[in-house]
Amino acid sequence: MLVACTPETLSVPAPAEGSGAIAAAALPPMSPSVVDAPISYALEPALDALERLVPRRFGDIERRIRIPSNSRQRVAFEATRTPFAVAFDGDEVTLVSTVSYQGRGWYNPPLLPTISASCGTDNTKPRVRIVVAVDLDLAENWSLKTRSRVKSVRPETDTDRDQCRVTAFKIDVTDRVVDAIRPQLQKQLPRVDRKIAAFDMRKRMDRWYNLLNKGIRVHDSLWLVLSPQQVRVGDLRLADGELVADVRLFAQPHLVSGPKPPDVKTPLPPLLRAQRTVGDSAHLRLEGLMTYSLASDLLAKELVGFKARRFGRSVRIARIRVFPLNDGRLALAVGVEGDVAGEAYLVGTPVLDTIARRITVPDLDFDVATQDALVSGLAWLRKGDLVEQLRKRAQLPLEPLLNQTREQVEKAINRELATGVELKGTVRTGRLVDVAVQRQWLLVRAEATGTISLEVDRKIKLPGDRRVTDSTSAR
């Protein structure tokens, strides 16, 4: 009776654990990610230059100007213009100003006293609308190309309200005002072009581009490397008074396990034209690292306490330990107590359940040494439902791990790369890709999508102008 009550002992050697690093399978590259970086160029410097070069007041109502086509006619005018306002007309930037003026005309008829009359001397002055067009573009070598030109100088409307014809001889002061304004503008516009072209776009973009080449720490042993490659520019637009070039950096972001990867510096590639069909999303593979102690704890919650019964005998699972083998499989050390006491070993290959988002081991079974021991006298345990239940219950949930990894990567993306330079982004976990048994942990890879953008907000002084600053930002 005493012998019958004594538990049978299960004593088998543990399977050999893996040694050294176990490489994960190579995966095909993902689609390039797009780092949105709209570069904003403040137009105030160009506007300020034009404001200072083109007088706000011109003409003298007391200074008579001879009309070449008629020696008996004289005119005089005095004009005031409004500050230039920035607008965007199609693919060009326009600077618009309105000139309000008053005029006088004189006619000296033969043998009679000089006749004169005026217009605009009351509160209703005729108006002339000035439109300066500025063609702006980024060249392949990153230089800012500009061409400013007088687009139009003409009366604000076609009504009598904006005409100045005085006396019965219809001396036209309006044409004289237009003829006085146009050459002043044409003379000064080349200086405006030089002011805009002085902005060194390439130097600043090269610095921002290589900030993305630095490894970004996700946690102690995981780094995000964005690896920028190609740069494209889309449309130019106007936003909040600033010219915005929709620049997109194409990158191959990836995660690197282990020590921090070395910083690299790559030359800024030529600027290419963006295709309108290109999306604005980022693509990244997340790498969740599940330690074997965590895997053991998760399985212990599911399996410890489970009992297997057969032929009036039973065992209870008392403990679970998960460890890697050197062939890509997992091993489970299952401590049992009851009618059998000891430790059994099961091995199997982990696979992903992409629907339930779990790791399962569908081929889990006793290892050779354990099977030999069971054949020697414990066959009843093998014939029980222990293996079947272990296969069914030995599952590792991945959602908490992936959410933690996603949050860590998103936190790593949203950071200041340098003074005034911020990286921002969002990450959404998508399709599970694979699971790999490695020496230190289970490596779970999943595809993620989201957005990445670069924001730069700094005040930059233009060369040769201490008073005017240029605000350039990339988002």
Side-chain angles (χ1 to χ4, degrees):
M1 291 175 62
L2 290 174
V3 172
C5 293
T6 302
E8 296 184 65
T9 301
L10 178 62
S11 179
V12 295
E17 296 188 24
S19 60
I22 305 173
L27 297 174
M30 298 188 70
S31 302
S33 293
V34 177
V35 180
D36 283 322
I39 299 176
S40 301
Y41 176 70
L43 293 175
E44 284 87 352
L47 188 59
D48 182 83
L50 192 61
E51 285 289 352
R52 288 185 287 111
L53 295 172
V54 178
R56 294 284 292 274
R57 302 177 65 89
F58 48 93
D60 184 349
I61 197 68
E62 301 299 331
R63 180 172 173 267
R64 300 185 184 188
I65 303 171
R66 186 175 66 87
I67 298 177
S69 61
N70 191 331
S71 61
R72 293 184 177 277
Q73 292 181 347
R74 300 287 188 274
V75 296
F77 68 89
E78 187 173 280
T80 303
R81 69 170 180 84
T82 62
F84 283 101
V86 181
F88 204 71
D89 182 11
D91 294 332
E92 64 187 13
V93 175
T94 59
L95 307 176
V96 181
S97 177
T98 299
V99 175
S100 301
Y101 64 95
Q102 56 179 316
R104 292 184 65 186
W106 293 267
Y107 180 72
N108 185 17
L111 306 175
L112 292 175
T114 299
I115 304 170
S116 68
S118 62
C119 66
T121 54
D122 55 10
N123 292 329
T124 305
K125 291 181 170 59
R127 300 163 300 177
V128 169
R129 181 181 174 86
I130 302 171
V131 180
V132 175
V134 183
D135 296 324
L136 288 161
D137 197 9
L138 284 171
E140 185 176 305
N141 65 355
W142 288 93
S143 62
L144 193 62
K145 297 191 302 183
T146 66
R147 185 175 73 89
S148 301
R149 66 188 189 281
V150 179
K151 189 173 183 179
S152 64
V153 181
R154 61 190 181 194
E156 182 79 18
T157 67
D158 295 331
T159 64
D160 292 340
R161 158 76 170 79
D162 292 312
Q163 299 295 326
C164 183
R165 292 184 176 90
V166 295
T167 80
F169 298 96
K170 296 185 178 179
I171 300 174
D172 194 342
V173 180
T174 304
D175 289 345
R176 304 285 79 77
V177 175
V178 169
D179 291 343
I181 294 172
R182 187 179 291 274
Q184 289 194 50
L185 291 171
Q186 292 173 332
K187 179 181 178 181
Q188 302 300 344
L189 288 183
R191 297 178 65 181
V192 176
D193 287 338
R194 290 193 294 271
K195 172 68 68 175
I196 298 175
F199 177 65
D200 189 353
M201 179 73 75
R202 182 182 182 88
K203 180 178 179 181
R204 288 159 180 82
M205 197 65 204
D206 181 82
R207 179 171 176 268
W208 303 332
Y209 180 84
N210 276 288
L211 284 174
L212 301 180
N213 267 320
K214 296 184 176 182
I216 300 171
R217 181 178 177 271
V218 177
H219 57 66
D220 291 341
S221 55
L222 192 62
W223 303 84
L224 173 65
V225 180
L226 292 173
S227 296
Q229 297 172 348
Q230 196 179 82
V231 186
R232 291 182 177 269
V233 64
D235 296 332
L236 298 178
R237 54 190 171 83
L238 201 65
D240 298 328
E242 294 185 339
L243 181 72
V244 180
D246 287 325
V247 173
R248 285 172 168 173
L249 293 88
F250 288 74
Q252 290 285 170
H254 58 281
L255 294 170
V256 177
S257 302
K260 180 183 178 182
D263 293 342
V264 297
K265 182 175 176 61
T266 55
L268 184 66
L271 184 64
L272 304 175
R273 291 293 162 187
Q275 299 175 355
R276 295 180 181 272
T277 56
V278 173
D280 60 355
S281 60
H283 308 276
L284 174 68
R285 281 200 177 97
L286 296 182
E287 293 188 353
L289 306 177
M290 181 179 290
T291 64
Y292 293 108
S293 60
L294 174 59
S296 298
D297 291 341
L298 291 173
L299 290 187
K301 292 179 181 179
E302 289 292 323
L303 295 171
V304 169
F306 170 75
K307 291 183 179 180
R309 294 179 176 86
R310 189 76 170 177
F311 306 129
R313 307 172 105 183
S314 67
V315 295
R316 174 183 175 275
I317 295 179
R319 56 194 177 277
I320 289 284
R321 181 172 68 90
V322 182
F323 58 93
L325 301 182
N326 59 7
D327 58 2
R329 293 183 300 165
L330 286 177
L332 272 65
V334 181
V336 294
E337 58 186 22
D339 290 323
V340 178
E343 202 160 49
Y345 294 95
L346 297 96
V347 296
T349 304
V351 298
L352 291 176
D353 182 340
T354 58
I355 304 299
R357 299 178 77 80
R358 292 174 176 268
I359 294 175
T360 65
V361 192
D363 63 347
L364 189 67
D365 203 349
F366 291 119
D367 74 331
V368 174
T370 303
Q371 289 190 42
D372 290 344
L374 297 179
V375 170
S376 301
L378 298 172
W380 68 269
L381 184 57
R382 186 181 179 189
K383 293 179 180 178
D385 59 354
L386 181 60
V387 172
E388 181 182 349
Q389 289 299 321
L390 284 173
R391 287 177 180 170
K392 187 180 298 184
R393 292 169 176 255
Q395 299 186 1
L396 299 170
L398 293 177
E399 209 61 49
L401 175 69
L402 294 175
N403 279 337
Q404 181 186 41
T405 304
R406 180 193 61 77
E407 290 170 1
Q408 289 173 333
V409 172
E410 190 169 272
K411 183 178 179 181
I413 291 176
N414 288 275
R415 64 174 54 212
E416 187 176 61
L417 298 179
T419 302
V421 182
E422 290 189 8
L423 188 67
K424 293 190 174 182
T426 60
V427 179
R428 296 181 297 276
T429 307
R431 184 176 68 91
L432 295 174
V433 178
D434 72 351
V435 57
V437 177
Q438 296 194 310
R439 185 72 185 97
Q440 293 176 288
W441 44 58
L442 276 168
L443 172 64
V444 180
R445 293 186 285 191
E447 292 181 352
T449 59
T451 60
I452 304 177
S453 62
L454 190 66
E455 291 192 358
V456 179
D457 187 8
R458 303 188 67 182
K459 295 290 184 180
I460 303 171
K461 291 184 178 180
L462 287 175
D465 192 343
R466 296 182 179 179
R467 298 188 304 108
V468 182
T469 60
D470 158 52
S471 173
T472 303
S473 65
R475 283 182 280 279

